[in-house]
Amino acid sequence: MALVVPALAGDPLFSWRDSKGDIRPMAKVRAMERINAILVAWGWGTSFGHSFRIGGASFYLAKKIDPEIIQIAGRWKSLAYETYIRAFEQISSQHMANAVAC
């Protein structure tokens, strides 16, 4: 990451340098513009950013993080995060069953 992100250890992970050379945090809108530019250039369409929530929830669940922490990290005020948890549990159990069968 240090080769790609110009920030120091104490700076925001997703950041950029402005015209004065100062580190600025990357806003979601700008991040999605950049990500979509890359996706379109590769012919993969676009993303609305929602898939990052699913990926983040799945990542933390795989790391056995408490679901309530996932709710806080995802800034869910409702119980919508439970949809991701159920989907992750179903998919991971299918993969485990397939791995055992092989």
Side-chain angles (χ1 to χ4, degrees), residues 14-27:
F14 296 100
S15 57
W16 56 283
R17 282 196 194 278
D18 65 13
S19 60
K20 296 177 185 176
D22 295 329
I23 298 292
R24 301 283 182 207
M26 186 176 292

Side-chain angles (χ1 to χ4, degrees), residues 10-86:
D11 294 327
L13 177 60
F14 296 100
S15 57
W16 56 283
R17 282 196 194 278
D18 65 13
S19 60
K20 296 177 185 176
D22 295 329
I23 298 292
R24 301 283 182 207
M26 186 176 292
K28 178 183 176 187
V29 172
R30 299 292 172 245
M32 290 311 305
E33 286 174 359
R34 179 68 178 135
I35 290 166
N36 281 327
I38 293 167
L39 292 174
V40 167
W42 282 78
W44 294 342
T46 59
S47 172
F48 298 105
H50 191 71
S51 57
F52 292 105
R53 283 187 150 206
I54 296 167
S58 299
F59 173 80
Y60 286 121
L61 287 167
K63 297 286 186 183
K64 309 240 185 279
I65 301 298
D66 186 323
E68 290 180 12
I69 300 299
I70 296 168
Q71 180 184 14
I72 293 166
R75 296 186 310 256
W76 283 292
K77 293 178 175 61
S78 70
L79 299 178
Y81 76 103
E82 290 181 352
T83 302
Y84 300 113
I85 292 170
R86 283 193 291 277

